[in-house]
């Protein structure tokens, strides 16, 4: 096997293979950074193919790099807007879970989600067994060069599916985020509370999250 690797790394006929290997390596590193940064959200999502879909999405970002030649293309140089609107759960999209109007306010200091007053039974697709839910806004900052990540977010209290919800604003403090690439996620998590203890519903199969906004420094 040693001679095969040596040949792949040196033989001119394997130039395309070497190009692909370099780009796959960059994509793998970038994908892991994104997954690690979004872990607080991803850990509640019951989609086994999510890691693969993140890798595929970032490969599209890498391929959109117009700065470097093939073989040296990088996720950090690609079109970061390609990850916008990505659903974290392919089986439960945010749009098929929350039916009320959302307002987003984006300023240099913060990213805000304004939730209106609503009646959960009318405006949320509540899965069987859920007694409560939580809506959260999360922002992540990424630096693909240093491999560093940062996180900021806020969530609603755990709310009963039986009670009318009051209007509230979820705020991501951008001052807590550092890096060159940023993503802002809105998510909803369903919970069953029994005797004061919280339980996930169907391993997160009905929880939804979506990358609503992105930015690049």
């Amino acid at each position: 096997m040693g001679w095969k690797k040596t040949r792949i790394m040196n033989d001119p006929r394997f130039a395309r293979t070497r190009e692909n290997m370099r780009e796959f390596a960059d994509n793998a590193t970038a994908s892991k950074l994104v997954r690690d940064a979004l872990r607080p959200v991803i850990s509640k999502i019951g989609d086994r193919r999510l890691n693969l879909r993140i890798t595929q999405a970032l490969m599209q970002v890498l391929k959109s790099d117009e700065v470097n030649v093939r073989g040296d293309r990088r996720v950090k140089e690609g079109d970061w807007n390609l990850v916008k609107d990505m659903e974290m759960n392919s089986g439960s999209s945010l749009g098929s879970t929350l039916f009320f109007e959302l307002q987003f306010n984006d300023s240099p200091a913060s990213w805000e989600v304004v939730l209106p007053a609503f009646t959960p039974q009318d405006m949320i697709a509540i899965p069987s067994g859920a007694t409560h839910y939580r809506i959260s806004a999360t922002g992540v900052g990424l630096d693909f060069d240093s491999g560093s990540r940062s996180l900021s977010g806020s969530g609603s209290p755990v709310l009963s599916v039986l009670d009318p919800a009051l209007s509230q604003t979820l705020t991501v403090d951008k001052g807590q985020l550092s890096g060159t690439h940023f993503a802002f996620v809105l998510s909803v998590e369903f919970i069953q509370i029994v005797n004061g203890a919280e339980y996930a519903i169907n391993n997160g199969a009905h929880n939804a999250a979506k990358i609503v906004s992105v930015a690049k420094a």
Side-chain angles (χ1 to χ4, degrees), residues 11 21 30 35 42-43 45 58 62-63 88-90 94 100 106 110-111 123 128 159 172 180 182 184-186 202:
D11 192 321
M21 287 169 66
R35 291 197 307 270
I42 290 174
S43 64
I45 297 294
L58 291 189
L62 181 147
K63 287 180 176 178
M88 299 283 105
N89 190 345
S90 61
L94 192 69
F100 48 79
D106 200 353
S110 65
W111 184 74
M123 292 296 181
S128 175
L159 300 167
V172 173
T180 56
F182 305 90
F184 301 92
V185 178
L186 184 65
N202 287 351

Side-chain angles (χ1 to χ4, degrees), residues 158-177:
V158 174
L159 300 167
S160 169
V161 298
L162 301 177
D163 298 335
L166 302 175
S167 176
Q168 62 177 307
T169 300
L170 307 178
T171 302
V172 173
D173 179 4
K174 288 185 177 179
Q176 296 181 33
L177 299 178

Side-chain angles (χ1 to χ4, degrees), residues 37-135:
L38 287 172
R39 186 65 57 198
V41 176
I42 290 174
S43 64
K44 297 182 175 71
I45 297 294
D47 182 347
R48 292 180 182 175
R49 293 176 60 82
L50 177 55
N51 287 352
L52 174 63
R53 292 194 297 110
I54 288 174
T55 301
Q56 290 172 334
L58 291 189
M59 182 54 85
Q60 294 306 310
V61 175
L62 181 147
K63 287 180 176 178
S64 71
D65 173 3
E66 297 180 348
V67 177
N68 300 298
V69 297
R70 189 172 60 201
D72 293 322
R73 293 177 298 185
R74 297 288 179 263
V75 170
K76 70 169 188 172
E77 301 287 5
D79 182 1
W80 188 236
N81 286 311
L82 290 173
V83 299
K84 183 178 180 290
D85 294 328
M86 181 179 177
E87 295 282 356
M88 299 283 105
N89 190 345
S90 61
S92 183
S93 70
L94 192 69
S96 66
T97 306
L98 302 179
F99 303 125
F100 48 79
E101 193 75 26
L102 293 162
Q103 180 186 331
F104 301 100
N105 299 326
D106 200 353
S107 72
S110 65
W111 184 74
E112 294 180 344
V113 184
V114 181
L115 306 176
F118 63 90
T119 305
Q121 290 100 321
D122 297 336
M123 292 296 181
I124 300 183
I126 302 167
S128 175
T131 60
H132 293 74
Y133 65 96
R134 180 192 289 116
I135 300 174

